[in-house]
Amino acid sequence: MRQENPKIGWRKLDNTAKIFPVIANESMSQVFRVSVTLKKEVEPEILQQALEDILPHIHNFRVKLRRGLFWYYFEENGKVPQVQRESTYPCRYFDPHGNRKFLFRVTYYQRRINLEVFHALTDGLGAVNFLKSLTERYLDLLGGSSEYWGPADEHAQQNQEFPVEDSYLRNYREMHHRSYSSSPAFRLEGNYLPLGAEQVLHGYVNVKELKAVCRKHEVSITKYLAAALIWSIWQEYLDGEPCELPVVLNLPINLRAFFGSDTMSNFFAVTLIGCLFRNPDMEFETLLGMVSRQMDRKIDKKRLEENISYNVSNEKKWYLRIIPLVIKKLALNLVFRLKDRAYTTTLSNIGPMQMEEEYASEIERFHFMIGVSRRQPLKCAVCAFGDEVVITFTSVFADSHLQRRFFGRLKEDGIRVRLEGNEMSGARRRNLYPHIRPVLILRKGGEAKASRVVKKVGHTGETAAKGLGEYLAGRRDWKEELNRRLHL
């Protein structure tokens, strides 16, 4: 096993990453997952060796998060991460003191290898590059290859040394910019699962069938799926009637293709695409045209430069930089809440996964999913491999009405869909994930289980205050109070 590295270095978080440690907690993890399903059962010992082989060459992942006076920062982590069997719901929160302080975890289940990443570390493309390297090394070891980047293979090592830079700063230029919208959008409501539980539903569709429909409408796959999701929300939640608030999607945009970057740090922007439904007779084709025109207008290099300018300009203001982190956390949480209410849900299309032919033959498919919370209760993530597109919904709702409405929309256009999910989903096949202990369904806005506990033990803060008042007034003995509070 590789020895721990005594040399410790540190670096700043990239411009976008700075928000994630501030807002992340047990109920909003800011974690996403990419996974690969192989054609054979995963051998954990070989997977552990593959992880130890590649990690020294991917510097961005070999860090832990530290708290500074003004900002969080990364410090090199010389420990060795441990591969574990998947045993809980996907995209759980990273305990800063657990997981050997790494900001990613590698798990496995049956034939699937999972990589879960805290968003401060990287974005979807960075995680994909890591998973591809891990998968390639695992398959090499499985095939009997033991050498890894020896002196004669220097070119391969150079190709695998992924760069780490803040591409936001490198591509920043001072210019007129727009701030993010904070106008409220329509919010999804439903019957919540208990805290920690999560519904996962995958829809598998054929690439050729999906592309044929998109060519018919003269739009890209992302435009079509975005319109289908907005349409489904309107039909399922609003019964196709006019509404006062717009249905808005949050679309992450990979900036590397626009600015020629290959950084492993975060380098993405978000744009809001939506519709305020006033006409109950609107056809899907009309909505699709509106969505297509919005995306053409907003996903433009100049608009993206304005986005970068806005984000980085705030970071460069000296009077903001010297504010202590404890105050920044309060302010950034407030700003995030205002921006968070400006969209209904998130749709992220990470695109096709490319693997060398020698490895692709050993792979069945990839999955991509995003963590959810009560404030962000449902998200949709898309990826493709070979002749299959996988559309994954993660949700904290007990039902899957919206998801089925969405896939029903695809079926109406002649796209066949096969569903698969975890035990919380309504899919016919639900053995893709480990069985988690039975959970109770909580009604929206309520915490049924917590309420029962409170009734049983009392409201801690309220009863403590009453107890202290009774003690100061002489109506309760201090020994009795200690016995009750400390169970002496």
Side-chain angles (χ1 to χ4, degrees), residues 457-474:
V457 303
H459 296 279
T460 306
E462 181 181 349
T463 53
K466 287 182 178 179
L468 180 59
E470 290 176 353
Y471 166 68
L472 293 175

Side-chain angles (χ1 to χ4, degrees), residues 323-378:
I323 297 175
L325 180 58
V326 63
I327 299 177
K328 280 194 179 90
K329 290 184 69 172
L330 296 173
L332 287 174
N333 266 287
L334 177 60
V335 171
F336 178 77
R337 285 180 178 274
L338 291 174
K339 295 177 181 177
D340 182 47
R341 70 175 188 169
Y343 59 90
T344 306
T345 188
T346 295
L347 171 67
S348 180
N349 185 358
I350 207 169
M353 307 287 195
Q354 304 290 342
M355 297 289 292
E356 296 291 337
E357 186 175 349
E358 60 181 303
Y359 303 112
S361 61
E362 301 295 325
I363 295 171
E364 185 174 295
R365 64 173 54 92
F366 285 85
H367 292 101
F368 173 43
M369 67 179 71
I370 313 171
V372 286
S373 66
R374 297 291 178 88
R375 280 169 51 189
Q376 300 175 342
L378 183 143

Side-chain angles (χ1 to χ4, degrees), residues 225-271:
L225 295 178
L229 184 52
I230 293 173
W231 175 268
S232 301
I233 293 172
W234 183 43
Q235 295 295 319
E236 185 64 32
Y237 279 85
L238 298 161
D239 297 322
E241 296 296 325
C243 56
E244 297 179 357
L245 297 175
V247 177
V248 181
L249 296 188
N250 180 53
L251 290 182
I253 307 299
N254 175 27
L255 295 177
R256 294 171 180 81
F258 291 90
F259 297 96
S261 171
D262 56 357
T263 181
M264 279 284 280
S265 297
N266 286 288
F267 195 40
F268 71 98
V270 295
T271 188

Side-chain angles (χ1 to χ4, degrees), residues 217-340:
H217 293 291
E218 298 182 339
V219 296
S220 67
I221 289 178
T222 302
K223 289 177 179 177
Y224 174 79
L225 295 178
L229 184 52
I230 293 173
W231 175 268
S232 301
I233 293 172
W234 183 43
Q235 295 295 319
E236 185 64 32
Y237 279 85
L238 298 161
D239 297 322
E241 296 296 325
C243 56
E244 297 179 357
L245 297 175
V247 177
V248 181
L249 296 188
N250 180 53
L251 290 182
I253 307 299
N254 175 27
L255 295 177
R256 294 171 180 81
F258 291 90
F259 297 96
S261 171
D262 56 357
T263 181
M264 279 284 280
S265 297
N266 286 288
F267 195 40
F268 71 98
V270 295
T271 188
L272 301 182
I273 304 296
C275 177
L276 177 59
F277 292 95
R278 292 192 175 96
N279 180 12
D281 299 322
M282 178 185 288
E283 299 291 336
F284 174 70
E285 289 73 17
T286 303
L287 173 64
L288 182 55
M290 293 173 58
V291 168
S292 178
R293 289 188 294 273
Q294 279 189 58
M295 291 180 66
D296 288 340
R297 186 174 69 253
K298 292 186 175 182
I299 305 177
D300 171 79
K301 186 173 182 179
K302 182 179 179 181
R303 294 289 292 266
L304 296 174
E305 285 179 330
E306 292 173 357
N307 188 299
I308 293 175
S309 176
Y310 172 74
N311 290 334
V312 176
S313 64
N314 289 327
E315 179 183 348
K316 286 181 170 292
K317 293 174 181 175
W318 67 269
Y319 52 88
L320 295 179
R321 295 170 62 182
I322 63 173
I323 297 175
L325 180 58
V326 63
I327 299 177
K328 280 194 179 90
K329 290 184 69 172
L330 296 173
L332 287 174
N333 266 287
L334 177 60
V335 171
F336 178 77
R337 285 180 178 274
L338 291 174
K339 295 177 181 177
D340 182 47

Side-chain angles (χ1 to χ4, degrees), residues 139-185:
L139 292 174
D140 285 342
L141 290 171
L142 200 63
S145 172
S146 57
E147 290 296 324
Y148 190 58
W149 290 341
D153 201 12
E154 183 178 347
H155 178 68
Q157 181 171 351
Q158 290 175 350
N159 288 341
Q160 203 72 356
E161 294 280 358
F162 296 105
V164 178
E165 70 165 7
D166 189 338
S167 290
Y168 295 101
L169 292 177
R170 183 168 70 85
N171 291 281
Y172 166 76
R173 62 188 183 92
E174 191 172 350
M175 60 185 299
H176 174 74
H177 50 254
R178 298 179 177 90
S179 61
Y180 291 106
S181 171
S182 59
S183 300

